[in-house]
């Protein structure tokens, strides 16, 4: 299938390296006919370098999802490049070191609050910031890691992801009357920069995941997850909202 996103205009957050899910989404989206704008937080030159590696160089705008001024001006700044938005990829998550790798009982509230603000509340904040540009039948997609169970080293980020899943459902209810869909994609473990922040034995975790998943799993390949995101950003799932779609090789069904 080609031209899946012909005529679509997207905001893609979270592009940091070529291994990031967001980069794969941006690349595939362009290959499928979309125009995109990338957002950058703190490392604009890095994001701009990634933007130049895409099939077509993409504009970059600054966005700190915890900064009310930047959120308030996002629509105007993106509007300088796009005359409307059909889809938004939320690929934003961060937790202080104290909140990960065995810090669940000792992490102070201010660090937990930071993790929840950045990783959970930001979905609502980004949706509201983009609303002035959202076209009818627009789609918001957020990246998730199955929060129905606990994972070694994930700690407060797991709690934040559980909140993200609930936030997605409430957003779907609130934005549905405007024709806007909101869904999450729960990926399996991938070798991204974000994954390096967890001190658990990543290689052993990946091997176990690949062994358990009925379809197997390649932690070095983000494209299957990106393709799932593209399907949700397209017009092919017009009646699907408030869902968590797993792109994890089927690991979540295994006891």
């Amino acid at each position: 299938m080609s031209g899946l996103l012909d005529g679509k205009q997207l905001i893609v957050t979270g592009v940091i390296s070529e291994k990031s899910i967001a980069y794969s989404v941006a690349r595939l989206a362009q290959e499928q006919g979309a125009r995109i704008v990338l957002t950058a937080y703190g490392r604009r030159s890095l994001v701009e370098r990634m933007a130049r590696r895409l099939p077509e160089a993409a504009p970059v705008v600054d966005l700190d999802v915890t900064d009310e001024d930047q959120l308030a001006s996002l629509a105007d700044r993106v509007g300088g490049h796009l005359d409307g938005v059909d889809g938004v990829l939320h690929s934003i998550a961060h937790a202080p070191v104290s909140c990960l790798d065995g810090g669940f009982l000792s992490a102070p509230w201010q660090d937990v609050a930071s993790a929840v603000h950045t990783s959970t509340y930001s979905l609502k904040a980004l949706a509201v910031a983009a609303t002035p540009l959202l076209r009818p039948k627009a789609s918001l997609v957020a990246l998730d890691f199955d929060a129905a169970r606990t994972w070694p080293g994930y700690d407060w980020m797991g709690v934040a992801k559980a909140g993200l899943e609930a936030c997605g459902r409430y957003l779907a209810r609130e934005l549905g009357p405007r024709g806007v869909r909101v869904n999450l994609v729960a990926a399996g473990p991938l070798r991204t920069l974000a994954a390096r922040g967890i001190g658990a034995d990543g290689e052993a975790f990946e091997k176990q995941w690949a062994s358990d998943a009925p379809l197997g799993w390649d932690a070095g390949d983000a494209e299957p997850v990106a393709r799932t995101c593209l399907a949700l950003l397209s017009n092919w799932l017009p009646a699907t909202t408030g869902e968590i779609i797993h792109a994890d090789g089927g690991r979540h069904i295994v006891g």
Side-chain angles (χ1 to χ4, degrees), residues 5-53:
L5 298 180
D6 277 348
K8 297 289 188 184
Q9 300 189 144
L10 311 177
I11 299 172
V12 178
T13 70
V15 172
I16 295 295
S17 76
E18 288 181 278
K19 292 184 178 181
S20 64
I21 299 171
Y23 181 86
S24 290
V25 170
R27 175 178 59 80
L28 290 173
Q30 286 189 338
E31 291 174 358
Q32 292 297 319
R35 294 177 60 200
I36 65 172
V37 167
L38 305 182
T39 70
Y41 167 62
R43 292 181 276 188
R44 185 184 176 104
S45 62
L46 177 60
V47 179
E48 288 175 337
R49 185 157 67 247
M50 292 299 103
R52 292 192 292 271
R53 295 181 183 177

Side-chain angles (χ1 to χ4, degrees), residues 163-181:
L164 183 74
E165 293 176 357
C167 184
R169 289 189 288 269
Y170 277 90
L171 265 180
R173 187 180 72 174
E174 294 294 326
L175 298 182
R178 306 181 193 184
V180 177
R181 292 171 288 132

Side-chain angles (χ1 to χ4, degrees), residues 74-166:
L74 179 66
D76 287 339
R77 290 183 288 117
V78 171
H81 304 285
L82 305 175
D83 58 6
V85 169
D86 302 288
V88 180
L89 179 74
H90 178 282
S91 179
I92 301 167
H94 179 264
V97 173
S98 65
C99 294
L100 302 168
D101 194 23
F104 186 80
L105 295 179
S106 58
W109 165 242
Q110 61 267 28
D111 288 354
V112 173
S114 174
V116 172
H117 192 178
T118 304
S119 309
T120 306
Y121 183 81
S122 62
L123 177 57
K124 190 282 297 187
L126 179 59
V128 171
T131 292
L133 289 175
L134 292 181
R135 290 170 165 172
K137 300 182 181 179
S139 173
L140 276 65
V141 177
L143 295 178
D144 185 25
F145 192 75
D146 189 359
R149 64 200 72 204
T150 65
W151 301 106
Y154 214 44
D155 295 345
W156 281 103
M157 182 55 75
V159 176
K161 288 296 188 182
L164 183 74
E165 293 176 357

